[in-house]
Short mmCIF file of all heavy atoms in Angstrom, two decimals:
data_model
loop_
_atom_site.label_atom_id
_atom_site.label_comp_id
_atom_site.label_asym_id
_atom_site.label_seq_id
_atom_site.Cartn_x
_atom_site.Cartn_y
_atom_site.Cartn_z
N MET T 1 -109.46 -160.20 46.69
CA MET T 1 -110.76 -160.31 47.38
C MET T 1 -111.87 -159.87 46.45
O MET T 1 -111.69 -158.97 45.62
CB MET T 1 -110.74 -159.43 48.63
CG MET T 1 -110.62 -160.23 49.90
SD MET T 1 -111.53 -159.44 51.18
CE MET T 1 -110.34 -158.19 51.65
N ALA T 2 -113.03 -160.48 46.63
CA ALA T 2 -114.20 -160.08 45.84
C ALA T 2 -114.54 -158.62 46.12
O ALA T 2 -114.47 -158.17 47.26
CB ALA T 2 -115.38 -160.96 46.19
N HIS T 3 -114.90 -157.94 45.08
CA HIS T 3 -115.11 -156.50 45.21
C HIS T 3 -116.17 -156.07 44.21
O HIS T 3 -116.14 -156.51 43.06
CB HIS T 3 -113.78 -155.80 44.90
CG HIS T 3 -113.78 -154.38 45.31
ND1 HIS T 3 -113.60 -154.00 46.61
CD2 HIS T 3 -113.97 -153.25 44.60
CE1 HIS T 3 -113.65 -152.67 46.66
NE2 HIS T 3 -113.89 -152.20 45.47
N PRO T 4 -117.12 -155.24 44.62
CA PRO T 4 -118.17 -154.84 43.67
C PRO T 4 -117.59 -153.98 42.55
O PRO T 4 -116.73 -153.14 42.78
CB PRO T 4 -119.15 -154.05 44.53
CG PRO T 4 -118.43 -153.70 45.77
CD PRO T 4 -117.34 -154.71 45.96
N LYS T 5 -118.07 -154.24 41.34
CA LYS T 5 -117.54 -153.54 40.18
C LYS T 5 -118.01 -152.10 40.15
O LYS T 5 -117.29 -151.20 39.74
CB LYS T 5 -118.01 -154.26 38.91
CG LYS T 5 -117.15 -153.99 37.70
CD LYS T 5 -117.47 -155.00 36.61
CE LYS T 5 -116.38 -154.98 35.54
NZ LYS T 5 -116.68 -156.03 34.54
N SER T 6 -119.26 -151.91 40.56
CA SER T 6 -119.78 -150.54 40.58
C SER T 6 -120.70 -150.36 41.78
O SER T 6 -121.25 -151.33 42.30
CB SER T 6 -120.54 -150.24 39.30
OG SER T 6 -121.62 -151.13 39.17
N ARG T 7 -120.82 -149.13 42.15
CA ARG T 7 -121.61 -148.80 43.32
C ARG T 7 -123.10 -148.94 43.01
O ARG T 7 -123.55 -148.55 41.93
CB ARG T 7 -121.27 -147.35 43.69
CG ARG T 7 -121.89 -146.89 44.96
CD ARG T 7 -121.41 -145.47 45.20
NE ARG T 7 -122.26 -144.82 46.17
CZ ARG T 7 -121.82 -143.91 47.04
NH1 ARG T 7 -120.56 -143.54 46.99
NH2 ARG T 7 -122.63 -143.37 47.89
N LEU T 8 -123.84 -149.46 43.99
CA LEU T 8 -125.29 -149.58 43.83
C LEU T 8 -125.94 -148.22 44.07
O LEU T 8 -125.56 -147.52 45.01
CB LEU T 8 -125.81 -150.59 44.86
CG LEU T 8 -126.62 -151.79 44.38
CD1 LEU T 8 -125.86 -152.59 43.36
CD2 LEU T 8 -126.98 -152.65 45.56
N SER T 9 -126.90 -147.89 43.24
CA SER T 9 -127.61 -146.62 43.45
C SER T 9 -128.44 -146.69 44.72
O SER T 9 -128.74 -147.78 45.21
CB SER T 9 -128.51 -146.32 42.25
OG SER T 9 -129.59 -147.23 42.24
N LYS T 10 -128.79 -145.54 45.26
CA LYS T 10 -129.62 -145.50 46.47
C LYS T 10 -130.93 -146.24 46.23
O LYS T 10 -131.45 -146.91 47.11
CB LYS T 10 -129.92 -144.05 46.84
CG LYS T 10 -128.75 -143.33 47.44
CD LYS T 10 -129.11 -141.86 47.65
CE LYS T 10 -127.86 -141.01 47.75
NZ LYS T 10 -128.19 -139.58 47.54
N GLN T 11 -131.47 -146.10 45.01
CA GLN T 11 -132.74 -146.74 44.71
C GLN T 11 -132.60 -148.26 44.77
O GLN T 11 -133.43 -148.93 45.39
CB GLN T 11 -133.22 -146.32 43.32
CG GLN T 11 -134.61 -146.85 43.02
CD GLN T 11 -135.13 -146.40 41.67
OE1 GLN T 11 -134.36 -146.05 40.78
NE2 GLN T 11 -136.44 -146.40 41.51
N ARG T 12 -131.56 -148.79 44.16
CA ARG T 12 -131.38 -150.26 44.19
C ARG T 12 -131.10 -150.75 45.59
O ARG T 12 -131.61 -151.79 46.02
CB ARG T 12 -130.23 -150.67 43.25
CG ARG T 12 -130.62 -150.51 41.80
CD ARG T 12 -129.71 -151.32 40.93
NE ARG T 12 -129.96 -152.75 41.07
CZ ARG T 12 -129.69 -153.64 40.13
NH1 ARG T 12 -129.18 -153.25 38.97
NH2 ARG T 12 -129.92 -154.91 40.33
N ARG T 13 -130.29 -150.03 46.32
CA ARG T 13 -129.99 -150.41 47.71
C ARG T 13 -131.28 -150.43 48.53
O ARG T 13 -131.57 -151.37 49.25
CB ARG T 13 -129.00 -149.39 48.30
CG ARG T 13 -128.62 -149.65 49.74
CD ARG T 13 -128.10 -148.39 50.40
NE ARG T 13 -129.14 -147.37 50.47
CZ ARG T 13 -128.92 -146.08 50.67
NH1 ARG T 13 -127.69 -145.63 50.80
NH2 ARG T 13 -129.91 -145.22 50.74
N ASP T 14 -132.07 -149.36 48.41
CA ASP T 14 -133.29 -149.25 49.22
C ASP T 14 -134.34 -150.25 48.78
O ASP T 14 -135.11 -150.76 49.61
CB ASP T 14 -133.83 -147.83 49.15
CG ASP T 14 -132.90 -146.83 49.82
OD1 ASP T 14 -131.97 -147.28 50.53
OD2 ASP T 14 -133.08 -145.62 49.65
N LYS T 15 -134.37 -150.57 47.48
CA LYS T 15 -135.33 -151.58 47.01
C LYS T 15 -135.01 -152.94 47.61
O LYS T 15 -135.91 -153.69 47.98
CB LYS T 15 -135.32 -151.66 45.48
CG LYS T 15 -136.27 -150.67 44.83
CD LYS T 15 -136.35 -150.92 43.35
CE LYS T 15 -137.56 -150.19 42.78
NZ LYS T 15 -137.66 -150.40 41.33
N ARG T 16 -133.72 -153.26 47.72
CA ARG T 16 -133.33 -154.52 48.34
C ARG T 16 -133.81 -154.54 49.79
O ARG T 16 -134.28 -155.54 50.30
CB ARG T 16 -131.81 -154.68 48.27
CG ARG T 16 -131.32 -155.97 48.93
CD ARG T 16 -129.81 -156.13 48.88
NE ARG T 16 -129.13 -155.13 49.67
CZ ARG T 16 -128.19 -154.32 49.20
NH1 ARG T 16 -127.81 -154.36 47.95
NH2 ARG T 16 -127.61 -153.44 50.00
N ARG T 17 -133.70 -153.40 50.46
CA ARG T 17 -134.03 -153.34 51.88
C ARG T 17 -135.53 -153.32 52.16
O ARG T 17 -135.93 -153.33 53.33
CB ARG T 17 -133.36 -152.12 52.50
CG ARG T 17 -131.85 -152.30 52.54
CD ARG T 17 -131.15 -151.12 53.17
NE ARG T 17 -129.69 -151.30 53.08
CZ ARG T 17 -128.82 -150.37 53.40
NH1 ARG T 17 -129.24 -149.19 53.82
NH2 ARG T 17 -127.55 -150.59 53.30
N THR T 18 -136.36 -153.27 51.15
CA THR T 18 -137.81 -153.32 51.39
C THR T 18 -138.20 -154.67 51.99
O THR T 18 -139.26 -154.80 52.59
CB THR T 18 -138.63 -153.11 50.11
OG1 THR T 18 -138.32 -154.15 49.18
CG2 THR T 18 -138.38 -151.75 49.49
N HIS T 19 -137.34 -155.69 51.83
CA HIS T 19 -137.63 -157.00 52.39
C HIS T 19 -137.20 -157.11 53.85
O HIS T 19 -137.56 -158.07 54.52
CB HIS T 19 -136.93 -158.09 51.57
CG HIS T 19 -137.38 -158.13 50.15
ND1 HIS T 19 -138.55 -158.73 49.76
CD2 HIS T 19 -136.83 -157.61 49.03
CE1 HIS T 19 -138.67 -158.57 48.44
NE2 HIS T 19 -137.65 -157.90 47.98
N TYR T 20 -136.41 -156.16 54.32
CA TYR T 20 -135.98 -156.19 55.72
C TYR T 20 -137.08 -155.59 56.57
O TYR T 20 -137.51 -154.47 56.33
CB TYR T 20 -134.70 -155.36 55.93
CG TYR T 20 -133.49 -155.78 55.13
CD1 TYR T 20 -132.34 -155.02 55.15
CD2 TYR T 20 -133.49 -156.93 54.35
CE1 TYR T 20 -131.21 -155.37 54.44
CE2 TYR T 20 -132.37 -157.30 53.62
CZ TYR T 20 -131.23 -156.51 53.67
OH TYR T 20 -130.12 -156.87 52.95
N LYS T 21 -137.51 -156.32 57.56
CA LYS T 21 -138.61 -155.85 58.37
C LYS T 21 -138.48 -156.41 59.78
O LYS T 21 -138.12 -157.56 59.96
CB LYS T 21 -139.92 -156.36 57.74
CG LYS T 21 -141.15 -155.60 58.14
CD LYS T 21 -142.32 -156.10 57.31
CE LYS T 21 -143.58 -156.06 58.11
NZ LYS T 21 -144.64 -156.82 57.45
N ALA T 22 -138.79 -155.56 60.76
CA ALA T 22 -138.74 -156.02 62.14
C ALA T 22 -139.90 -156.98 62.38
O ALA T 22 -141.03 -156.72 61.96
CB ALA T 22 -138.83 -154.84 63.10
N GLU T 23 -139.60 -158.10 63.04
CA GLU T 23 -140.63 -159.10 63.30
C GLU T 23 -141.30 -158.82 64.63
O GLU T 23 -140.62 -158.51 65.61
CB GLU T 23 -139.96 -160.48 63.32
CG GLU T 23 -140.84 -161.54 62.70
CD GLU T 23 -140.09 -162.86 62.62
OE1 GLU T 23 -139.24 -163.02 61.72
OE2 GLU T 23 -140.37 -163.72 63.48
N VAL T 24 -142.60 -158.94 64.67
CA VAL T 24 -143.34 -158.74 65.91
C VAL T 24 -143.34 -160.07 66.66
O VAL T 24 -143.75 -161.09 66.12
CB VAL T 24 -144.79 -158.30 65.62
CG1 VAL T 24 -145.56 -158.11 66.91
CG2 VAL T 24 -144.79 -157.00 64.82
N PRO T 25 -142.81 -160.10 67.90
CA PRO T 25 -142.76 -161.37 68.63
C PRO T 25 -144.16 -161.86 69.00
O PRO T 25 -145.06 -161.06 69.25
CB PRO T 25 -141.94 -161.04 69.87
CG PRO T 25 -142.04 -159.57 70.03
CD PRO T 25 -142.25 -158.99 68.67
N THR T 26 -144.31 -163.19 69.00
CA THR T 26 -145.58 -163.77 69.42
C THR T 26 -145.69 -163.68 70.93
O THR T 26 -144.79 -164.13 71.65
CB THR T 26 -145.64 -165.23 68.96
OG1 THR T 26 -145.25 -165.30 67.60
CG2 THR T 26 -147.04 -165.78 69.11
N LEU T 27 -146.75 -163.07 71.40
CA LEU T 27 -146.88 -162.85 72.82
C LEU T 27 -147.93 -163.78 73.44
O LEU T 27 -148.91 -164.15 72.79
CB LEU T 27 -147.27 -161.39 73.10
CG LEU T 27 -146.22 -160.35 72.70
CD1 LEU T 27 -146.77 -158.95 72.86
CD2 LEU T 27 -144.95 -160.51 73.52
N ALA T 28 -147.69 -164.17 74.67
CA ALA T 28 -148.62 -164.99 75.42
C ALA T 28 -148.86 -164.33 76.77
O ALA T 28 -148.17 -163.39 77.14
CB ALA T 28 -148.03 -166.39 75.62
N THR T 29 -149.86 -164.83 77.49
CA THR T 29 -150.14 -164.31 78.82
C THR T 29 -149.70 -165.35 79.84
O THR T 29 -150.03 -166.53 79.71
CB THR T 29 -151.64 -164.03 78.96
OG1 THR T 29 -152.04 -163.20 77.86
CG2 THR T 29 -151.95 -163.28 80.24
N CYS T 30 -148.97 -164.92 80.85
CA CYS T 30 -148.49 -165.83 81.88
C CYS T 30 -149.67 -166.43 82.63
O CYS T 30 -150.58 -165.71 83.06
CB CYS T 30 -147.57 -165.08 82.84
SG CYS T 30 -147.01 -166.08 84.22
N SER T 31 -149.64 -167.76 82.79
CA SER T 31 -150.76 -168.44 83.46
C SER T 31 -150.73 -168.19 84.96
O SER T 31 -151.71 -168.41 85.66
CB SER T 31 -150.69 -169.93 83.17
OG SER T 31 -149.46 -170.45 83.62
N ASN T 32 -149.62 -167.75 85.50
CA ASN T 32 -149.48 -167.54 86.94
C ASN T 32 -149.81 -166.10 87.34
O ASN T 32 -150.59 -165.88 88.25
CB ASN T 32 -148.07 -167.91 87.37
CG ASN T 32 -147.91 -167.84 88.88
OD1 ASN T 32 -148.69 -168.44 89.61
ND2 ASN T 32 -146.94 -167.11 89.34
N CYS T 33 -149.22 -165.12 86.67
CA CYS T 33 -149.41 -163.74 87.10
C CYS T 33 -150.12 -162.88 86.07
O CYS T 33 -150.48 -161.75 86.35
CB CYS T 33 -148.07 -163.11 87.46
SG CYS T 33 -147.00 -162.82 86.04
N GLY T 34 -150.36 -163.41 84.87
CA GLY T 34 -151.13 -162.67 83.87
C GLY T 34 -150.33 -161.64 83.09
O GLY T 34 -150.90 -160.89 82.30
N ALA T 35 -149.02 -161.61 83.30
CA ALA T 35 -148.20 -160.66 82.57
C ALA T 35 -148.06 -161.10 81.11
O ALA T 35 -148.21 -162.28 80.79
CB ALA T 35 -146.82 -160.56 83.21
N THR T 36 -147.79 -160.15 80.23
CA THR T 36 -147.56 -160.47 78.83
C THR T 36 -146.12 -160.95 78.69
O THR T 36 -145.19 -160.26 79.09
CB THR T 36 -147.80 -159.23 77.96
OG1 THR T 36 -149.08 -158.71 78.29
CG2 THR T 36 -147.77 -159.58 76.49
N VAL T 37 -145.97 -162.15 78.12
CA VAL T 37 -144.66 -162.79 78.03
C VAL T 37 -144.44 -163.24 76.59
O VAL T 37 -145.39 -163.61 75.90
CB VAL T 37 -144.59 -164.03 78.96
CG1 VAL T 37 -143.16 -164.49 79.13
CG2 VAL T 37 -145.23 -163.75 80.29
N GLU T 38 -143.19 -163.24 76.15
CA GLU T 38 -142.86 -163.78 74.86
C GLU T 38 -142.97 -165.30 74.90
O GLU T 38 -142.64 -165.91 75.92
CB GLU T 38 -141.41 -163.39 74.50
CG GLU T 38 -141.31 -162.61 73.22
CD GLU T 38 -139.87 -162.29 72.90
OE1 GLU T 38 -139.36 -161.29 73.43
OE2 GLU T 38 -139.27 -163.05 72.12
N TYR T 39 -143.39 -165.91 73.81
CA TYR T 39 -143.52 -167.35 73.75
C TYR T 39 -142.17 -168.04 73.99
O TYR T 39 -141.12 -167.52 73.61
CB TYR T 39 -144.06 -167.79 72.37
CG TYR T 39 -145.50 -168.21 72.43
CD1 TYR T 39 -146.52 -167.29 72.18
CD2 TYR T 39 -145.85 -169.52 72.75
CE1 TYR T 39 -147.85 -167.67 72.24
CE2 TYR T 39 -147.17 -169.91 72.81
CZ TYR T 39 -148.17 -168.98 72.55
OH TYR T 39 -149.48 -169.36 72.62
N HIS T 40 -142.22 -169.24 74.58
CA HIS T 40 -141.03 -170.05 74.86
C HIS T 40 -140.02 -169.30 75.73
O HIS T 40 -138.80 -169.46 75.57
CB HIS T 40 -140.36 -170.53 73.55
CG HIS T 40 -141.31 -171.23 72.64
ND1 HIS T 40 -141.64 -170.75 71.39
CD2 HIS T 40 -142.04 -172.36 72.81
CE1 HIS T 40 -142.53 -171.57 70.84
NE2 HIS T 40 -142.79 -172.55 71.68
N THR T 41 -140.55 -168.44 76.61
CA THR T 41 -139.70 -167.64 77.47
C THR T 41 -140.23 -167.72 78.90
O THR T 41 -141.45 -167.68 79.10
CB THR T 41 -139.69 -166.17 76.99
OG1 THR T 41 -139.32 -166.15 75.62
CG2 THR T 41 -138.73 -165.34 77.79
N ILE T 42 -139.35 -167.84 79.85
CA ILE T 42 -139.75 -167.83 81.25
C ILE T 42 -140.32 -166.45 81.57
O ILE T 42 -139.80 -165.43 81.12
CB ILE T 42 -138.52 -168.14 82.15
CG1 ILE T 42 -138.00 -169.55 81.86
CG2 ILE T 42 -138.88 -167.98 83.62
CD1 ILE T 42 -136.59 -169.76 82.37
N CYS T 43 -141.41 -166.43 82.36
CA CYS T 43 -142.04 -165.17 82.72
C CYS T 43 -141.06 -164.33 83.55
O CYS T 43 -140.59 -164.79 84.58
CB CYS T 43 -143.31 -165.42 83.50
SG CYS T 43 -144.07 -163.90 84.10
N PRO T 44 -140.73 -163.13 83.09
CA PRO T 44 -139.78 -162.31 83.85
C PRO T 44 -140.37 -161.77 85.15
O PRO T 44 -139.63 -161.34 86.04
CB PRO T 44 -139.43 -161.17 82.88
CG PRO T 44 -140.56 -161.10 81.94
CD PRO T 44 -141.16 -162.47 81.86
N GLU T 45 -141.70 -161.79 85.27
CA GLU T 45 -142.35 -161.26 86.47
C GLU T 45 -142.29 -162.25 87.63
O GLU T 45 -142.03 -161.88 88.77
CB GLU T 45 -143.81 -160.90 86.17
CG GLU T 45 -143.98 -159.82 85.12
CD GLU T 45 -143.41 -158.46 85.55
OE1 GLU T 45 -143.49 -158.14 86.75
OE2 GLU T 45 -142.91 -157.75 84.68
N CYS T 46 -142.59 -163.54 87.34
CA CYS T 46 -142.71 -164.49 88.43
C CYS T 46 -141.81 -165.72 88.25
O CYS T 46 -141.73 -166.56 89.15
CB CYS T 46 -144.16 -164.92 88.58
SG CYS T 46 -144.83 -165.77 87.15
N GLY T 47 -141.13 -165.86 87.12
CA GLY T 47 -140.23 -166.99 86.93
C GLY T 47 -140.91 -168.30 86.60
O GLY T 47 -140.33 -169.36 86.74
N PHE T 48 -142.18 -168.22 86.14
CA PHE T 48 -142.90 -169.44 85.79
C PHE T 48 -142.73 -169.76 84.31
O PHE T 48 -142.61 -168.86 83.48
CB PHE T 48 -144.41 -169.28 86.09
CG PHE T 48 -144.80 -169.78 87.46
CD1 PHE T 48 -144.26 -169.20 88.60
CD2 PHE T 48 -145.71 -170.82 87.61
CE1 PHE T 48 -144.62 -169.65 89.87
CE2 PHE T 48 -146.07 -171.27 88.88
CZ PHE T 48 -145.53 -170.68 90.01
N TYR T 49 -142.72 -171.04 84.01
CA TYR T 49 -142.71 -171.47 82.62
C TYR T 49 -143.52 -172.76 82.53
O TYR T 49 -143.25 -173.71 83.26
CB TYR T 49 -141.28 -171.69 82.11
CG TYR T 49 -141.21 -172.05 80.65
CD1 TYR T 49 -141.54 -171.11 79.68
CD2 TYR T 49 -140.86 -173.32 80.24
CE1 TYR T 49 -141.50 -171.42 78.33
CE2 TYR T 49 -140.82 -173.65 78.90
CZ TYR T 49 -141.14 -172.69 77.94
OH TYR T 49 -141.10 -173.01 76.62
N ARG T 50 -144.51 -172.80 81.67
CA ARG T 50 -145.42 -173.92 81.48
C ARG T 50 -146.00 -174.40 82.82
O ARG T 50 -145.97 -175.60 83.13
CB ARG T 50 -144.74 -175.07 80.74
CG ARG T 50 -144.30 -174.63 79.34
CD ARG T 50 -143.79 -175.79 78.52
NE ARG T 50 -144.87 -176.68 78.13
CZ ARG T 50 -144.69 -177.89 77.60
NH1 ARG T 50 -143.48 -178.34 77.41
NH2 ARG T 50 -145.71 -178.63 77.26
N GLY T 51 -146.47 -173.44 83.63
CA GLY T 51 -147.17 -173.77 84.86
C GLY T 51 -146.29 -174.20 86.02
O GLY T 51 -146.79 -174.70 87.01
N LYS T 52 -144.99 -174.05 85.88
CA LYS T 52 -144.10 -174.45 86.96
C LYS T 52 -143.13 -173.32 87.27
O LYS T 52 -142.70 -172.59 86.37
CB LYS T 52 -143.30 -175.70 86.57
CG LYS T 52 -144.05 -176.99 86.81
CD LYS T 52 -143.12 -178.17 86.94
CE LYS T 52 -142.65 -178.76 85.66
NZ LYS T 52 -141.79 -179.89 85.73
N GLN T 53 -142.74 -173.23 88.55
CA GLN T 53 -141.71 -172.26 88.93
C GLN T 53 -140.38 -172.83 88.52
O GLN T 53 -139.96 -173.87 89.02
CB GLN T 53 -141.75 -172.05 90.46
CG GLN T 53 -140.70 -171.07 90.95
CD GLN T 53 -141.25 -169.69 91.20
OE1 GLN T 53 -142.25 -169.53 91.89
NE2 GLN T 53 -140.61 -168.69 90.65
N VAL T 54 -139.72 -172.18 87.59
CA VAL T 54 -138.44 -172.69 87.13
C VAL T 54 -137.29 -171.77 87.51
O VAL T 54 -136.13 -172.13 87.39
CB VAL T 54 -138.43 -172.93 85.60
CG1 VAL T 54 -139.34 -174.10 85.26
CG2 VAL T 54 -138.87 -171.69 84.85
N MET T 55 -137.63 -170.58 87.99
CA MET T 55 -136.59 -169.64 88.36
C MET T 55 -137.08 -168.77 89.52
O MET T 55 -138.27 -168.51 89.62
CB MET T 55 -136.26 -168.73 87.16
CG MET T 55 -134.85 -168.88 86.64
SD MET T 55 -134.68 -168.19 85.00
CE MET T 55 -134.49 -166.49 85.37
N GLU T 56 -136.19 -168.35 90.38
CA GLU T 56 -136.56 -167.39 91.41
C GLU T 56 -136.93 -166.08 90.74
O GLU T 56 -136.46 -165.80 89.64
CB GLU T 56 -135.40 -167.18 92.38
CG GLU T 56 -135.12 -168.37 93.29
CD GLU T 56 -136.37 -168.80 94.07
OE1 GLU T 56 -136.96 -167.96 94.77
OE2 GLU T 56 -136.74 -169.99 93.96
N LYS T 57 -137.77 -165.31 91.40
CA LYS T 57 -138.21 -164.04 90.82
C LYS T 57 -137.01 -163.19 90.43
O LYS T 57 -136.09 -162.99 91.23
CB LYS T 57 -139.07 -163.28 91.82
CG LYS T 57 -139.87 -162.17 91.17
CD LYS T 57 -140.74 -161.43 92.16
CE LYS T 57 -141.27 -160.16 91.55
NZ LYS T 57 -141.96 -159.33 92.52
N GLN T 58 -137.01 -162.75 89.19
CA GLN T 58 -135.86 -162.05 88.67
C GLN T 58 -136.33 -161.01 87.65
O GLN T 58 -137.05 -161.35 86.71
CB GLN T 58 -134.93 -163.07 88.01
CG GLN T 58 -133.62 -162.51 87.55
CD GLN T 58 -132.79 -163.55 86.85
OE1 GLN T 58 -133.20 -164.07 85.81
NE2 GLN T 58 -131.65 -163.92 87.42
N LYS T 59 -135.94 -159.79 87.85
CA LYS T 59 -136.31 -158.73 86.90
C LYS T 59 -135.15 -158.52 85.95
O LYS T 59 -134.07 -158.14 86.36
CB LYS T 59 -136.62 -157.43 87.66
CG LYS T 59 -138.01 -157.40 88.26
CD LYS T 59 -138.94 -156.55 87.41
CE LYS T 59 -140.33 -156.47 88.03
NZ LYS T 59 -141.24 -155.69 87.21
N VAL T 60 -135.43 -158.82 84.70
CA VAL T 60 -134.37 -158.64 83.70
C VAL T 60 -134.68 -157.40 82.86
O VAL T 60 -133.90 -156.46 82.80
CB VAL T 60 -134.22 -159.88 82.80
CG1 VAL T 60 -133.13 -159.67 81.77
CG2 VAL T 60 -133.93 -161.12 83.65
N ALA T 61 -135.82 -157.41 82.23
CA ALA T 61 -136.18 -156.27 81.37
C ALA T 61 -137.63 -155.86 81.61
O ALA T 61 -138.47 -156.69 81.84
CB ALA T 61 -135.98 -156.60 79.91
ZN1 ZN A 101 -145.73 -164.64 85.43
#
């Protein structure tokens, strides 16, 4: 099996990880209830998506 020849120093490991970053989700406002919703996601408050009721009211998160 492939195996690293030598251990990476903490500095090299951490330098590689400078590119890892949490992404901030794009947020929108629900047209029905005004709640803040993630884009391309059914509103968790009222179950609306693109101006239509697509799901019964459901609290997920
Ligand atoms: Zn809503």
Side-chain angles (χ1 to χ4, degrees):
M1 255 214 279
H3 194 79
K5 202 166 195 176
S6 60
R7 186 178 163 147
L8 235 56
S9 70
K10 286 174 201 163
Q11 186 178 23
R12 289 199 71 154
R13 180 202 64 198
D14 293 348
K15 273 188 165 179
R16 179 181 66 235
R17 291 181 184 171
T18 61
H19 299 280
Y20 301 173
K21 200 173 147 193
E23 217 174 282
V24 179
T26 312
L27 295 174
T29 308
C30 176
S31 58
N32 186 53
C33 70
T36 308
V37 194
E38 239 182 276
Y39 254 93
H40 306 116
T41 306
I42 297 163
C43 175
E45 298 296 325
C46 63
F48 267 62
Y49 184 69
R50 298 188 71 192
K52 277 202 278 181
Q53 179 100 51
V54 291
M55 244 163 82
E56 289 306 304
K57 196 179 167 188
Q58 186 183 62
K59 280 258 182 182
V60 180

